[in-house]
Amino acid sequence: MTTDHDAYLARKYFPGLDGLRAIAIIAVVWHHCVRSELLPMFSRGFAGVDLFFVLSGFLIATLLIREKAKNGKISLRDFWARRFLRLMPAYYLLLLAMLAAYLLLKPDDPNTQRFVDGFHIYALYLSNWYNPGTNNMGITWSLSTEEQFYIIWPFIEAFAAPFFRLGFWLVAIVINQLVNFGVFDPMIENIFGAGAHEKEILEATFTPILFGVALAHILNDKKYYGWACRLCGFKYAPYVIAGFLLVLVNIPADDISGLFRLVMHLGMTAWIASIVLQPTAPLTNALSLRPIAFIGAVSYGMYLYHMWCIHIVRVVIGKLGLSQFWLQFPISLLLTMLVAAASFYLYEKRFLDWRKRFRK
């Protein structure tokens, strides 16, 4: 008889995860549109990026683990080719379009100079280490963080023995948490001077990605899979964990670094596990509804373009003299969805179809 774990290993698609992507990107668009003080969660839409990170770590590690189990090795060339075709065409199109627009329309603008001077930072995915300060490009720190993960972690999965892989993971988690809890702040300020704690890399975190990687390994192992089922796979787990996260993000706090953010990342990881472990649960089915799954499917493009869509909406609403607060978010979200869908079907899909050449 096929066990639940065998069914999990045979599953090629995880229902509900596109819905979680939709929640993440809607939260991010909200965060950059409005900041309501009605509830604390209305000012914490940035946590959508952390949810993206956990999802990315889980899915990428799962692909790598399964490829190695099936073929005895991981083709780094094929993996990187697939990542390149998924992520870079739209990203570099945006960079080149911005460069042309700035140089042609605003050659003397200070923001143009910042973009030109920092173009190589954006092009090389290094903006999580240094932010050139170009308007509407601050979001690229998260793209850089993920890209660095895609470069480094496949090496670990491909060549490191389990003991060394675990050791690397633990060291990375410890370093990230020392930063998260501010342990390094005094030392960094002594070396780099006052304000050094605001360096871009200290605001970025690899912890949620690493938690996603850990979840992939836990669910891949039959014994640990059973433990995960007992912790996160019971009938009402998706609702219980979602309720816990909802309460957590509504706890008032001026600074969520430290224990708050660590618990939030653990809660997100547990929530994803509960969705994966119950592919036919009502909440999983709700997250898989076509409109929600569609938003998740084009969420990468939405993240790329949403700052520019918000900028356009702000300008138009301002000129019409309409209320920024009530109109900005729904119009920006709709415009972002339309732009991302057009990009996906008219441009990105051509490159996505080529990925079949790099799948065994």
Side-chain angles (χ1 to χ4, degrees), residues 310-357:
I310 292 171
H311 178 79
I312 292 170
V313 171
R314 281 176 177 164
V315 171
V316 173
I317 288 179
K319 289 186 176 181
L320 294 176
L322 301 174
S323 170
Q324 288 276 348
F325 182 82
W326 296 109
L327 292 176
Q328 187 180 143
F329 171 67
I331 297 176
S332 296
L333 182 62
L334 178 60
L335 179 61
T336 301
M337 288 170 54
L338 293 174
V339 171
S343 174
F344 183 84
Y345 288 108
L346 300 178
Y347 176 65
E348 296 169 58
K349 200 172 184 305
R350 301 170 186 268
F351 298 94
L352 296 178
D353 292 341
W354 292 351
R355 292 191 301 173
K356 297 174 183 177
R357 305 177 186 182

Side-chain angles (χ1 to χ4, degrees), residues 46-290:
F46 58 84
V49 174
D50 298 58
L51 183 57
F52 271 127
F53 279 178
V54 184
L55 284 166
S56 182
F58 168 69
L59 291 170
I60 293 301
T62 297
L63 287 172
L64 295 171
I65 292 167
R66 292 183 175 184
E67 181 180 347
K68 192 171 185 178
K70 183 178 181 180
N71 302 329
K73 63 179 182 179
I74 294 170
S75 172
L76 297 178
R77 185 205 67 164
D78 288 353
F79 173 81
W80 287 328
R82 293 193 302 269
R83 288 291 86 195
F84 176 90
L85 292 170
R86 175 64 188 100
L87 302 175
M88 295 187 181
Y91 181 66
Y92 284 120
L93 175 65
L94 176 65
L95 289 184
L96 293 174
M98 286 178 59
L99 182 64
Y102 274 133
L103 292 177
L104 290 174
L105 302 177
K106 295 185 175 182
D108 300 322
D109 191 277
N111 198 54
T112 300
Q113 191 60 49
R114 286 195 295 271
F115 184 69
V116 172
D117 291 343
F119 186 84
H120 65 290
I121 300 294
Y122 296 121
L124 295 174
Y125 287 96
L126 295 173
S127 59
N128 62 330
W129 288 85
Y130 172 74
N131 181 6
T134 308
N135 292 346
N136 300 322
M137 291 296 286
I139 62 164
T140 59
W141 73 268
S142 60
L143 304 178
S144 299
T145 300
E146 289 214 24
E147 198 64 31
Q148 290 156 27
F149 164 71
Y150 297 146
I151 292 172
I152 295 172
W153 190 256
F155 271 111
I156 305 300
E157 291 287 357
F159 301 117
F163 176 80
F164 291 104
R165 183 173 60 236
L166 177 60
F168 182 92
W169 186 91
L170 287 172
V171 169
I173 282 289
V174 169
I175 292 173
N176 273 268
Q177 288 310 303
L178 289 174
V179 173
N180 178 36
F181 281 87
V183 175
F184 289 150
D185 287 358
M187 179 182 68
I188 292 169
E189 289 193 9
N190 287 335
I191 296 173
F192 296 103
H197 64 281
E198 296 177 356
K199 286 185 177 296
E200 198 71 16
I201 189 60
L202 299 182
E203 298 298 321
T205 176
F206 289 88
T207 293
I209 299 180
L210 292 169
F211 280 170
V213 169
L215 178 61
H217 280 277
I218 288 169
L219 297 185
N220 187 69
D221 185 280
K222 188 172 184 178
K223 179 177 69 173
Y224 297 133
Y225 179 88
W227 293 358
C229 286
R230 287 190 285 274
L231 287 172
C232 303
F234 58 92
K235 184 176 181 180
Y236 297 107
Y239 307 99
V240 171
I241 299 171
F244 167 77
L245 284 170
L246 193 62
V247 171
L248 182 68
V249 297
N250 277 297
I251 296 175
D254 294 331
D255 182 6
I256 70 163
S257 60
L259 184 62
F260 192 120
R261 197 167 194 185
L262 175 61
V263 173
M264 183 177 71
H265 291 160
L266 288 169
M268 289 177 174
T269 307
W271 196 31
I272 291 170
S274 71
I275 298 297
V276 170
L277 292 172
Q278 299 192 55
T280 59
L283 181 57
T284 306
N285 291 333
L287 291 170
S288 302
L289 292 174
R290 186 171 294 180

